[in-house]
Amino acid sequence: GSGTATFSGNIISNGLLTLNDNYAMINAGVTSNTTLEPVIWARSKIGASVVQMNVQGDEWQFGGGGTLDTTPILKLKYGTNVATFSGTVNTGVINSEAITITTSAVPLRFVESGHTGNGQYWRMPLDGGSLRFDVSTSGGAGFSTYDNVLQLKPDGSILVQSSQMFDTTGSIN
């Protein structure tokens, strides 16, 4: 049938769904911090796609598909305030005209997916006041060994391959 149902007070369904004036709470049913559990799935009107919000411990995971998505596009981890994206991140318009990253060694990491071997993994850490450009020489993204290709020092000097090439006045050494 169709129509409108009106309820007053709290609605509780077997303890898994609670609706009241202050919040809606969905209990996924399993009391585990390691089990990936479905929470909210939305299907398009014609059933062509399913978007998922799942939970695993203190992490929200956003994915899709007709089965529990174990490789979601976005993970938000409450305990560590970390967001993990897979795929492309489109920032759109940044109103403040700046992206600010604050951490102890501020690394940006670049991976060229269409290339393997030397030069596939690069990073730009801001460390000790110097901005470096490193390339992984360990054959992977771990940077256990790397070349410090270019370093911009806070005194204005520039190092290339760890040798000072330009001093603070711009003179070539």
Side-chain angles (χ1 to χ4, degrees):
S2 64
T4 302
T6 303
F7 298 92
S8 62
N10 295 342
I11 300 172
I12 299 173
S13 171
N14 293 330
L16 300 179
L17 171 64
T18 302
L19 301 173
N20 66 33
D21 293 338
N22 299 317
Y23 63 89
M25 180 172 61
I26 301 170
N27 289 314
V30 178
T31 56
S32 168
N33 281 337
T34 58
T35 303
L36 179 62
E37 304 174 45
V39 178
I40 298 174
W41 290 20
R43 186 184 320 270
S44 66
K45 189 171 185 177
I46 60 170
S49 61
V50 176
V51 179
Q52 303 176 11
M53 287 186 354
N54 303 315
V55 69
Q56 185 170 16
D58 64 353
E59 181 175 89
W60 277 102
Q61 298 185 7
F62 297 83
T67 60
L68 190 60
D69 190 349
T70 59
T71 58
I73 192 163
L74 171 62
K75 295 180 180 183
L76 302 174
K77 192 161 184 75
Y78 170 75
T80 57
N81 294 327
V82 171
T84 305
F85 298 90
S86 63
T88 301
V89 177
N90 184 351
T91 60
V93 176
I94 300 171
N95 293 329
S96 67
E97 298 181 14
I99 296 173
T100 302
I101 302 171
T102 304
T103 186
S104 61
V106 189
L108 291 177
R109 188 169 297 185
F110 303 94
V111 179
E112 185 180 0
S113 61
H115 175 75
T116 59
N118 288 339
Q120 181 182 12
Y121 299 97
W122 286 79
R123 69 179 177 192
M124 281 178 38
L126 176 61
D127 190 22
S130 293
L131 180 62
R132 290 194 333 253
F133 293 79
D134 300 336
V135 62
S136 174
T137 57
S138 60
F143 287 88
S144 57
T145 60
Y146 62 91
D147 264 344
N148 171 2
V149 178
L150 179 67
Q151 186 171 358
L152 309 177
K153 309 258 314 157
D155 65 4
S157 60
I158 300 172
L159 281 66
V160 177
Q161 293 284 44
S162 300
S163 299
Q164 186 169 323
M165 300 302 287
F166 300 92
D167 63 21
T168 58
T169 62
S171 300
I172 298 175
N173 293 338

